[in-house]
Amino acid sequence: MNKGLIVQTRPGIGDLCMFLPYIQQIKEHNKDCEFTLITKKRTAAKQILKYEQSIKHIIFLEDEILEITKSKINNFFKLLSFIKKNNFSKIYIMHFSLFWFLLAKISRIKNIYKYGIIKKNVDIYLNALEQNKRWLNNNNLSSQTKIAYPHNNNKNNNQIIIGIGSSGPTKKWPTENYIELIKRINNKNIKFFLAGGNNEIENQIANKIICEIKENSVVSLCSLTIEDIIPVINSSKLYVGNDTGFMHLSAGLDIPAIGLFGDTPLSYANYNKNIFPIIPKNFKTVGHNSFAMKQITVDQVLKEVKKFI
């Protein structure tokens, strides 16, 4: 069987979810090819893609197999050795990169598919779709993410995922707003699961919400692995929270995801029909450096939540 390499080095869980449909499409187009994905550890790809059939092997750049160091020259030759050893017949480079193009050329990979060698200011995810259409000669491709997971979800469960984590402080809705939202949902049959990471543990955000609610209806997932959190998301009826990896995971698992957008582009939501973005009132759109998360009101969010509960 032929061997192919897909390079997707954007680091986040959300990035992996948004690029997943394009990875799946590449495999569907190359049925006789066995693919290896090179990505970064922060994507948690080995946990999220545990049941994904389009990828045979997942390699993290930070893993010992590649022994990545701070020296770009060392990195280049270590990766060159890895690529030559595996004798890949084709490579798909899912970002602008002279580094990876040179690796592919020197490795004599026959078929090289790339965005370009000079970085351009483009809509990252719309560009990914357009590139795949060009690479695969197919204008009917979709950006809709579907994460492979063998267990059927039960949307009748009265569980809501509250996404309190984010990639930066300007992308977080105030903790007090989450507390007020949970109280105003006012349904004792609903259990709330707080999804975040180490920052939410260190900053006591999860504990503050749990203590303020003073009921057993709120549980923190912040100390769990992604693999352990996925079953909880999969059995929930709704996600509400920041534009974070858990929003993208929820949408990819076919769970409605209400995303709060006050400092990230709406294109991060538009790729998936399961994401329902909320932006501040009187804003036509938002993007990086809008700094408007605090302007999203609890009333706005509660109104959207009531459509699903």
Side-chain angles (χ1 to χ4, degrees):
M1 178 174 281
N2 293 325
K3 296 169 70 175
L5 182 63
I6 297 173
V7 181
Q8 196 298 103
T9 57
R10 292 185 63 80
I13 290 173
D15 296 306
L16 176 71
C17 292
M18 284 184 266
F19 277 93
L20 180 57
Y22 312 126
I23 293 169
Q24 294 166 333
Q25 291 158 11
I26 288 170
K27 171 58 180 175
E28 180 64 22
H29 185 77
N30 297 276
K31 295 182 185 294
D32 64 338
C33 199
E34 183 179 275
F35 280 99
T36 294
L37 171 67
I38 286 187
T39 188
K40 292 187 177 177
K41 192 169 290 186
R42 274 180 53 199
T43 64
K46 292 183 180 180
Q47 299 176 66
I48 296 169
L49 304 184
K50 183 176 181 179
Y51 304 102
E52 179 57 50
Q53 297 299 307
S54 63
I55 296 297
K56 184 69 174 179
H57 305 287
I58 297 172
I59 303 295
F60 291 136
L61 281 173
E62 303 91 337
D63 274 358
E64 292 182 3
I65 189 171
L66 300 182
E67 299 178 13
I68 294 299
T69 69
K70 291 183 178 180
S71 168
K72 288 188 177 182
I73 295 176
N74 287 345
N75 291 349
F76 186 89
F77 285 106
K78 292 178 192 301
L79 285 165
L80 183 63
S81 175
F82 169 79
I83 293 172
K84 283 185 173 181
K85 179 181 176 181
N86 282 275
N87 194 29
F88 296 109
S89 63
K90 56 186 62 180
I91 183 172
Y92 292 85
I93 306 169
M94 305 184 89
H95 63 296
F96 296 96
S97 175
L98 175 61
F99 180 90
W100 281 97
F101 174 69
L102 289 176
L103 277 171
K105 290 294 287 185
I106 295 173
S107 301
R108 296 183 179 179
I109 296 178
K110 185 177 180 180
N111 299 297
I112 302 173
Y113 301 90
K114 64 184 188 307
Y115 288 3
I117 60 175
I118 299 175
K119 186 175 181 180
K120 297 179 181 178
N121 186 20
V122 296
D123 183 313
I124 296 166
Y125 306 108
L126 178 60
N127 179 66
L129 176 60
E130 293 306 315
Q131 295 286 357
N132 248 33
K133 288 179 179 179
R134 177 173 63 86
W135 289 347
L136 309 182
N137 193 27
N138 185 345
N139 288 322
N140 297 317
L141 300 180
S142 168
S143 63
Q144 184 69 22
T145 298
K146 185 175 183 180
I147 297 171
Y149 192 69
H151 307 289
N152 293 328
N153 63 14
N154 180 3
K155 293 182 181 178
N156 292 322
N157 283 356
N158 286 325
Q159 299 178 182
I160 295 178
I161 304 295
I162 302 292
I164 59 175
S166 76
S167 59
T170 64
K171 298 173 176 61
K172 288 187 177 183
W173 205 40
T175 303
E176 293 74 16
N177 288 6
Y178 282 118
I179 293 169
E180 183 182 347
L181 176 67
I182 293 171
K183 287 180 177 179
R184 289 180 62 185
I185 289 174
N186 194 27
N187 186 329
K188 295 185 182 299
N189 294 320
I190 292 179
K191 194 146 194 170
F192 300 91
F193 290 90
L194 306 179
N198 289 332
N199 285 337
E200 286 64 55
I201 295 175
E202 293 171 3
N203 296 327
Q204 297 289 310
I205 295 174
N207 283 343
K208 182 177 181 179
I209 294 173
I210 291 170
C211 291
E212 284 287 336
I213 301 302
K214 296 179 181 178
E215 295 179 10
N216 294 324
S217 60
V218 183
V219 176
S220 173
L221 304 175
C222 297
S223 62
L224 300 184
T225 65
I226 297 298
E227 188 172 351
D228 288 335
I229 293 172
I230 284 176
V232 182
I233 294 176
N234 194 60
S235 61
S236 298
K237 63 165 38 175
L238 181 66
Y239 169 94
V240 184
N242 305 324
D243 167 26
T244 184
F246 296 109
M247 179 192 76
H248 297 283
L249 282 175
S250 300
L253 290 165
D254 203 27
I255 306 299
I258 299 173
L260 310 184
F261 284 75
D263 199 49
T264 47
L266 280 177
S267 63
Y268 290 19
N270 294 338
Y271 79 100
N272 193 315
K273 65 179 177 59
N274 292 325
I275 299 177
F276 302 88
I278 295 178
I279 67 174
K281 289 182 177 179
N282 302 321
F283 277 64
K284 292 183 178 180
T285 190
V286 289
H288 294 301
N289 301 320
S290 291
F291 304 116
M293 287 295 285
K294 292 181 179 180
Q295 297 184 51
I296 298 173
T297 67
V298 175
D299 285 338
Q300 277 183 277
V301 181
L302 184 61
K303 181 180 178 180
E304 194 69 25
V305 168
K306 286 182 176 179
K307 297 177 181 178
F308 297 94
I309 63 174

